[in-house]
Amino acid sequence: MAHLHAMSAARRAGRIAMVRETLAITAYETGDYALALRELRTYRRISGKDDQLPLMVDSERGVGRPERALELGRSVDRSTLDVPVRVALAIAMSGARLDLGQTEDALLELQIPQLDPKRAFSYSPALFNAYAETLEVLGREEEAAVWHDRAMIASEALEQSAADDEGETMVVVEEFLEFDDEPESPTADATESDDQPGEEPSGESAVDEKA
């Protein structure tokens, strides 16, 4: 139903970026990746924004073009993207690598500064789970189980914080994310190491910020 409403709105107000974005998202959710990609391109052209680049990359995967997905993801300087968008792009790029059988490279795509088991943000559960699933493909089951646990703990902590603070997403989770068998910290790749000061909270505990 939402997709039908979005299509109707696009026919009436096709030059409004938000309308084209909404249609793209609903098309993506219904599995119409070709339409999603077309609308995302239009949205990007009208708005001049790259905030839906991860969805564009994933839509290229959806139409069977993982190589094109990787080219698209590399076409933008990631340091110019907001942190949640940067994380979503890393997940999409990792998926494209998996599509091509490049499993080790898929893991490297996810080894970004935000892959921090001692801090949780709104994007952390998805990132942790993507890392765990890639480890599973590599046959590293024990490490994968640890990251799946971390994803669950981060998700529960964020949900509890939202309930306690009436919608606020501020949460301290470091104390919940201690593991006796914690693997070595991932190494950030070059494209992800240019985080600007103030993008993420510092100190002994982490504060989650709304995307």
Side-chain angles (χ1 to χ4, degrees):
M1 184 64 70
H3 183 51
L4 294 177
H5 285 308
M7 291 181 68
S8 177
R11 286 193 292 268
R12 296 194 305 270
R15 295 183 181 276
I16 299 177
M18 183 181 297
V19 171
R20 305 308 286 265
E21 179 185 32
T22 300
L23 177 55
I25 292 171
T26 59
Y28 176 87
E29 290 175 346
T30 61
D32 191 343
Y33 301 113
L35 176 60
L37 192 56
R38 187 189 74 193
E39 295 301 317
L40 286 167
R41 287 170 177 160
T42 302
Y43 163 75
R44 190 185 190 192
R45 184 175 66 251
I46 295 173
S47 69
K49 297 179 180 179
D50 289 319
D51 57 324
Q52 292 295 351
L53 185 63
L55 206 61
M56 294 181 70
V57 170
D58 223 35
S59 294
E60 288 284 4
R61 293 180 59 210
V63 296
R65 296 195 295 254
E67 296 93 346
R68 172 57 186 156
L70 293 175
E71 291 175 8
L72 180 60
R74 289 191 295 261
S75 69
V76 172
D77 180 358
R78 296 192 197 184
S79 68
T80 65
L81 303 174
D82 291 341
V83 172
V85 178
R86 203 179 308 171
V87 173
L89 179 57
I91 294 172
M93 294 286 282
S94 178
R97 295 286 189 187
L98 288 176
D99 293 343
L100 293 168
Q102 301 171 0
T103 315
E104 292 287 352
D105 288 336
L107 196 68
L108 289 174
E109 291 283 358
L110 299 170
Q111 291 179 350
I112 57 179
Q114 291 75 31
L115 189 71
D116 185 345
K118 291 181 168 53
R119 300 188 292 179
F121 298 86
S122 58
Y123 48 73
S124 297
L127 178 59
F128 294 174
N129 273 322
Y131 196 69
E133 290 163 6
T134 307
L135 287 168
E136 287 174 341
V137 175
L138 287 165
R140 295 159 61 175
E141 300 292 341
E142 292 185 6
E143 291 175 76
V146 170
W147 283 97
H148 275 310
D149 285 344
R150 286 172 171 164
M152 180 181 64
I153 292 169
S155 181
E156 290 175 351
L158 291 167
E159 289 175 4
Q160 184 60 51
S161 175
D164 291 345
D165 299 320
E166 298 181 353
E168 294 287 336
T169 55
M170 181 179 294
V171 61
V172 177
V173 297
E174 184 176 13
E175 62 181 306
F176 300 111
L177 295 174
E178 295 295 335
F179 290 84
D180 293 335
D181 57 346
E182 182 174 316
E184 294 182 2
S185 299
T187 302
D189 67 20
T191 60
E192 295 294 336
S193 62
D194 296 327
D195 286 354
Q196 298 300 316
E199 282 186 338
E200 294 184 339
S202 59
E204 295 183 355
S205 299
V207 178
D208 183 61
E209 297 175 348
K210 291 184 177 178

